[in-house]
Amino acid sequence: MNPVRWPQQAQQPILFILDAALDVEVELLRDFIEEQRATAEYEGDVLSVVLPIFRNQEDIPSEKLAQVLKVNKNTQVVPVRVAWLRSLNQKNHSPRLRDLIFGDPRRPGPWRARRYLRGGDERVKVLVAKSASIEQLETRMREHRGTDYTEAAFCEFVAGQAGLALDLAERSLRGNRYRVPRRVATNLMHSPSYQKAMQQLAADTGTPSKALEQEAEKIMQELIATPRSFWIDVMAAFTSKFVSLGYESEMVVDQQGLERVRKLVREYPTALVWTHKTHVDGFAVFTLFYDNDFPAPHVLGGINMAFAGLGYVAKRAGGIFIRRSFKDNKLYKIILRQYIAYLLEKRFPLTWAFEGTRSRVGKLMPPRYGVFKYVIEAAHAGDASNLHFIPIAINYDLIGDVDDYTYEQSGGKKQAESLRWFINYMRGLRQPLGRIYVNFGEPVIIEKAPQPGDTLALQKVAFQVGVEVNRVTPLTLPSVITMILLGAAPRALTAEELSVELHAILDWARAHNVPISSSLDPDHRASYGRLLDVLVNKGLVTRYDGGPEEVFAIAAQQHATAGYYRNTVIHHFVIKAIGELALLYVASNTDAGLDEFWQEAERLRDLFKFEFFYSPIDEFRKQLDQELVHYYPQWEARLMESNSAAQKMVHGSRPLVAHAALLPFVEAYRVVADVLAIAGEEPLMDNKECVRQSLAYARQAFLQQRITSEASIGKLMFENGYKLMANQGLVFSDPESLDTDALASLVERRAKMSQTMRELCRRIDTIRSNALLR
């Protein structure tokens, strides 16, 4: 039991706030105080008041403090609480079924508490929080809420401070994972910035303040998370079980990065932004931080996930469910902004998925700016400085959602989330899926939040987060194997050819400091073989050993699924692929040289701007130069001498990757270009109609072998193709603005774009042919 720091002078009184809801707790605390008093031989005045704080921190009966606080200003206020410990016979901290029925054993009812004591005092510890004088508490009150406050407000403030001090003492016993905000709604409503915003809203809308307060109370009940230690444990037990249904129980975590993040979370307002490939992501993040004793992160998600059961537990473990649409609800915006600002100020980490929705094609999707906007605006409103956005790359050997994604990308309808859907989803995870890999990028730091509405600053932050996430994404065995085999398709590769190509890519990755997962570690060949067997058993890869040599290929009808895994890592190879295609362009044009190389490289960069996160143009040129210097230190001089050197450089730049990395996007863009070319003089075609026609045309083109793979057929790629065509001026929203000459020009430019994409397909096929020459 912690000792009480008794005043040195007997004339200085002491006031104990007994955080107790049970008679047995009051008895324990009073006995403890008398025992400590006798030991210290303290003869001064000892006052006490029973105040059940923890049992209901949002509605503490603080009026009990009114009389006892009317004493000497030098009186020391000492909060005390009984901490009920778990049985020493219990093997772990996970809640048991009986705990869900009878309640949290760390907050027992009267009968359970008495039963615990009959077994001895090993399950009881008295916590003594840091004390403060009444004068010190009054000073804090003025700092937080100004000088104009009532006696009731001061009593409420003291009760809240006592609760915070006791929570801090209890965390030293139980761990930082239970550090959670208390009395959030109360603190928000007393905040000067909140009150000012509400007064302004009342003036702007003419709505009575009372009506706004009533509506605000409803929004706060819906929005504000109410984390509790018991439910954090319940959620952790569930997320750990959920993740381990298909994945190995131990995640492969960048430990150095994790410790760096731990320090940043303590010192700065932080937002932990992770990639989103599967519904497992959020559960994996929660498990990661719980197991490593991080404060429970406040997970920002859509209210569609707050369905029965999961929504109840998640909200009590830190989940914040945001409405999908609230553009015209100014009150909701105010409360959300103030709530996020409060969490940032108090150093409670926020976390959410970078893309807002799961990536349906494997690669990092463009960010959803909504949550970034809320957080940056909240930081501005709260005058937060040095806001840290910490990128987290979550990657998997295999993903159970991929079959659903390929169905959706081929035109199928997404299944709505519900409790029944979630149960079926969990059943689908019961299969070997390998490992989960967690890596941390360098933080993106905003020293001072920009003004609301600064779209450019918002986009810059999100872009930097995306670049960092991509940088730390590791190569995995399934991603590299599918990339190699899709690049070779429809030809199968022998085991030796596959191994040679695999090692060539890994050598290139090591030379370029690309992260490599443990599944590709030469010291883990046994797991390598097991994972390859899983790919075969899942039907993703075909293995044929009936001939003189064992050969591997992507299974029929599995190209779209394999394409997903390949897409998770192709961003590492895009610059190299652009270099290969630009070199081949120079080799194919007699008058081309170094200038034409750079022009073509920048044109290709622009062509794929809706697919990948690039560095600024100067950095891009530097990266491409470094890529070619890796093979040919004097490459520019050689290219200036003769364009015939370009062909030799392509041959010598192994492993060749353009066909494996870019072919599906080029073929998808070709489909969209053909659809618009076929439309002729029809200038008006919206995105939805273009995608519909592209899906139909692509299936025909695949059957006619005019596109090589079903991996090139997908709604998102066609949507990006449409964006590109609109960016090139090949789609008009106002056909009336086009005269006869403009229409003729439109038809000509659409046909030219279609021809350009066909030529690029031929160039990629040449790269593929060179790659397959052994």
Side-chain angles (χ1 to χ4, degrees):
M1 296 186 181
N2 296 351
V4 176
R5 293 185 178 180
W6 296 88
Q8 296 296 316
Q9 299 177 350
Q11 298 88 343
Q12 188 176 356
I14 186 166
L15 167 62
F16 287 95
I17 296 179
L18 280 57
D19 179 7
L22 306 176
D23 290 341
V24 66
E25 292 178 330
V26 176
E27 292 172 17
L28 285 167
L29 292 174
R30 291 197 190 283
D31 289 346
F32 168 77
I33 292 169
E34 287 306 315
E35 203 177 289
Q36 292 275 302
R37 179 178 184 173
T39 302
E41 299 180 351
Y42 178 72
E43 297 179 356
D45 293 335
V46 176
L47 308 173
S48 66
V49 60
V50 178
L51 201 64
I53 297 174
F54 187 87
R55 301 280 173 157
N56 188 5
Q57 294 220 19
E58 300 303 319
D59 189 21
I60 303 171
S62 56
E63 64 276 2
K64 292 184 178 183
L65 292 172
Q67 292 302 316
V68 295
L69 290 177
K70 295 176 181 178
V71 292
N72 190 317
K73 301 294 185 184
N74 292 325
T75 300
Q76 290 293 309
V77 180
V78 182
V80 290
R81 171 188 293 169
V82 174
W84 298 92
L85 309 180
R86 294 178 180 274
S87 169
L88 296 178
N89 297 323
Q90 190 170 335
K91 295 181 179 180
N92 56 53
H93 293 289
S94 298
R96 297 163 295 187
L97 180 60
R98 74 176 81 164
D99 298 333
L100 293 173
I101 299 172
F102 296 109
D104 186 357
R106 290 167 301 187
R107 297 288 178 255
W111 180 82
R112 291 177 86 186
R114 297 283 183 188
R115 184 168 66 84
Y116 293 163
L117 287 176
R118 284 196 294 271
D121 62 358
E122 68 175 26
R123 299 189 64 172
V124 177
K125 186 177 180 64
V126 174
L127 300 174
V128 180
K130 185 177 180 180
S131 63
S133 69
I134 292 177
E135 185 177 26
Q136 288 172 326
L137 289 167
E138 288 179 339
T139 301
R140 287 186 209 168
M141 178 72 174
R142 288 190 291 271
E143 290 173 352
H144 281 78
R145 300 184 185 176
T147 57
D148 185 18
Y149 59 84
T150 63
E151 179 184 271
F154 182 58
C155 292
E156 182 185 349
F157 178 78
V158 172
Q161 291 289 293
L164 289 174
L166 285 166
D167 285 350
L168 181 61
E170 190 163 354
R171 283 203 303 277
S172 67
L173 178 69
R174 304 194 192 278
N176 282 318
R177 60 175 62 90
Y178 303 115
R179 179 179 180 265
V180 297
R182 304 293 190 192
R183 298 168 57 77
V184 176
T186 300
N187 290 330
L188 283 183
M189 287 187 287
H190 285 299
S191 163
S193 61
Y194 173 82
Q195 292 174 350
K196 182 180 178 181
M198 291 292 281
Q199 290 168 4
Q200 187 64 50
L201 181 62
D204 291 344
T205 62
T207 307
S209 296
K210 189 69 175 176
L212 286 176
E213 290 171 6
Q214 291 173 348
E215 182 62 24
E217 185 177 346
K218 294 178 183 177
I219 293 173
M220 287 184 181
Q221 288 177 351
E222 172 193 309
L223 182 64
I224 294 175
T226 54
R228 295 289 182 268
S229 56
F230 175 68
W231 291 108
I232 289 172
D233 285 344
V234 170
M235 189 66 176
F238 174 73
T239 58
S240 179
K241 180 67 175 176
F242 182 87
V243 170
S244 62
L245 286 173
Y247 295 100
E248 294 182 15
S249 56
E250 291 292 327
M251 289 184 268
V252 182
V253 180
D254 168 17
Q255 290 295 333
Q256 288 185 340
L258 182 66
E259 292 309 312
R260 186 175 70 247
V261 171
R262 188 192 302 277
K263 182 179 180 182
L264 293 174
V265 165
R266 282 197 302 261
E267 296 180 2
Y268 301 103
T270 53
L272 310 168
V273 190
W274 34 273
T275 54
H276 198 13
K277 294 182 175 64
T278 164
H279 286 298
V280 175
D281 296 324
F283 298 98
V285 167
F286 194 95
T287 298
L288 170 70
F289 290 128
Y290 181 90
D291 288 348
N292 287 277
D293 199 28
F294 269 69
H298 284 69
V299 183
L300 302 171
I303 203 167
N304 61 303
M305 292 299 292
F307 48 77
L310 179 62
Y312 178 90
V313 177
K315 186 171 183 179
R316 286 155 181 79
I320 300 173
F321 297 105
I322 301 175
R323 295 178 186 176
R324 284 299 182 95
S325 178
F326 52 88
K327 290 182 180 179
D328 299 325
N329 193 329
K330 294 181 179 179
L331 179 58
Y332 191 92
K333 289 181 180 179
I334 288 173
I335 294 171
L336 178 61
R337 187 181 300 124
Q338 293 288 328
Y339 180 30
I340 292 175
Y342 177 83
L343 294 174
L344 292 174
E345 177 192 354
K346 301 301 181 183
R347 302 297 187 263
F348 292 104
L350 303 169
T351 185
W352 70 90
F354 176 79
E355 297 112 314
T357 185
R358 292 168 296 158
S359 171
R360 265 60 173 186
V361 293
K363 67 183 180 64
L364 190 66
M365 301 294 290
R368 293 287 179 90
Y369 292 111
V371 181
F372 277 101
K373 181 173 180 288
Y374 308 149
V375 172
I376 290 176
E377 287 183 354
H380 181 271
D383 199 26
S385 59
N386 291 315
L387 172 60
H388 283 54
F389 288 93
I390 301 175
I392 305 177
I394 307 176
N395 291 277
Y396 306 81
D397 282 327
L398 296 169
I399 295 175
D401 309 46
V402 175
D403 288 340
D404 292 338
Y405 298 157
T406 55
Y407 171 72
E408 290 175 28
Q409 289 306 297
S410 65
K413 187 177 180 181
K414 175 182 176 290
Q415 188 175 356
E417 289 87 356
S418 66
L419 182 58
R420 177 182 291 181
W421 161 85
F422 188 68
I423 292 171
N424 289 333
Y425 183 84
M426 289 180 64
R427 288 173 180 161
L429 289 176
R430 293 182 178 276
Q431 54 180 313
L433 296 170
R435 292 177 170 180
I436 301 175
Y437 307 91
V438 183
N439 297 80
F440 302 90
E442 290 297 321
V444 177
I445 304 171
I446 301 180
E447 293 183 3
K448 186 173 180 59
Q451 291 287 335
D454 189 341
T455 305
L456 186 61
L458 175 67
Q459 292 174 344
K460 183 178 179 181
V461 170
F463 169 81
Q464 290 175 317
V465 171
V467 169
E468 271 300 301
V469 162
N470 273 340
R471 184 182 65 81
V472 297
T473 296
L475 303 183
T476 63
L477 179 67
S479 64
V480 178
I481 291 292
T482 52
M483 181 173 130
I484 293 170
L485 294 179
L486 282 171
R491 173 180 161 178
L493 297 181
T494 67
E496 182 182 358
E497 288 173 332
L498 182 58
S499 178
V500 167
E501 197 68 14
L502 176 62
H503 283 91
I505 286 178
L506 294 182
D507 289 343
W508 177 90
R510 293 187 188 98
H512 290 74
N513 296 317
V514 173
I516 299 173
S517 74
S518 56
S519 64
L520 285 165
D521 191 329
D523 296 331
H524 293 81
R525 291 195 179 276
S527 60
Y528 171 110
R530 285 196 301 271
L531 193 52
L532 189 57
D533 288 340
V534 170
L535 295 176
V536 173
N537 293 335
K538 283 177 65 69
L540 186 64
V541 172
T542 294
R543 176 169 54 198
Y544 179 73
D545 54 8
E549 293 182 286
E550 186 180 42
V551 295
F552 295 87
I554 298 298
Q557 310 300 319
Q558 290 292 317
H559 280 217
T561 301
Y564 184 95
Y565 294 108
R566 174 208 43 212
N567 290 349
T568 61
V569 296
I570 55 173
H571 58 273
H572 289 303
F573 303 93
V574 168
I575 289 178
K576 184 178 190 326
I578 287 175
E580 292 169 8
L581 291 173
L583 284 173
L584 199 57
Y585 172 83
V586 172
S588 304
N589 292 272
T590 307
D591 298 329
L594 183 60
D595 289 342
E596 287 72 23
F597 169 85
W598 284 115
Q599 291 170 10
E600 177 64 7
E602 291 179 15
R603 187 187 73 83
L604 292 170
R605 176 183 183 272
D606 189 65
L607 187 71
F608 299 111
K609 64 186 176 185
F610 296 110
E611 302 293 348
F612 303 107
F613 290 82
Y614 296 115
S615 299
I617 187 65
D618 291 342
E619 181 65 19
F620 167 81
R621 289 176 67 109
K622 182 180 178 181
Q623 290 169 342
L624 182 51
D625 174 65
Q626 291 172 342
E627 178 62 46
L628 293 173
V629 165
H630 176 72
Y631 296 98
Y632 300 99
Q634 304 299 322
W635 73 272
E636 286 187 302
R638 294 184 61 177
L639 208 57
M640 290 175 69
E641 290 176 5
S642 171
N643 75 328
S644 61
Q647 184 71 50
K648 295 177 182 178
M649 281 193 263
V650 172
H651 280 289
S653 302
R654 293 185 179 276
L656 297 175
V657 298
H659 60 299
L662 296 179
L663 179 60
F665 304 101
V666 175
E667 288 191 335
Y669 289 2
R670 172 186 168 180
V671 166
V672 176
D674 284 355
V675 166
L676 291 176
I678 292 169
E681 295 185 357
E682 176 53 55
L684 182 61
M685 183 183 293
D686 63 22
N687 180 36
K688 188 175 181 180
E689 176 61 20
C690 185
V691 169
R692 187 191 68 79
Q693 291 191 29
S694 295
L695 285 168
Y697 178 78
R699 294 188 186 102
Q700 172 191 322
F702 175 68
L703 291 172
Q704 294 175 307
Q705 297 188 350
R706 287 191 280 119
I707 60 174
T708 62
S709 172
E710 285 186 305
S712 305
I713 303 174
K715 289 197 297 184
L716 285 174
M717 287 191 293
F718 293 150
E719 287 174 1
N720 285 344
Y722 182 87
K723 290 178 186 176
L724 175 67
M725 302 306 158
N727 182 258
Q728 298 288 322
L730 301 179
V731 178
F732 285 85
S733 58
D734 183 16
E736 300 298 328
S737 65
L738 299 177
D739 57 23
T740 303
D741 291 340
L743 279 174
S745 173
L746 176 65
V747 172
E748 182 181 344
R749 286 185 294 113
R750 284 180 172 179
K752 185 178 179 180
M753 175 59 80
S754 176
Q755 188 60 37
T756 297
M757 300 314 299
R758 289 167 189 260
E759 186 276 328
L760 193 53
C761 283
R762 286 193 292 271
R763 218 187 304 170
I764 287 179
D765 192 55
T766 301
I767 297 284
R768 175 183 171 277
S769 299
N770 288 335
L772 291 176
L773 289 174
R774 296 292 190 272

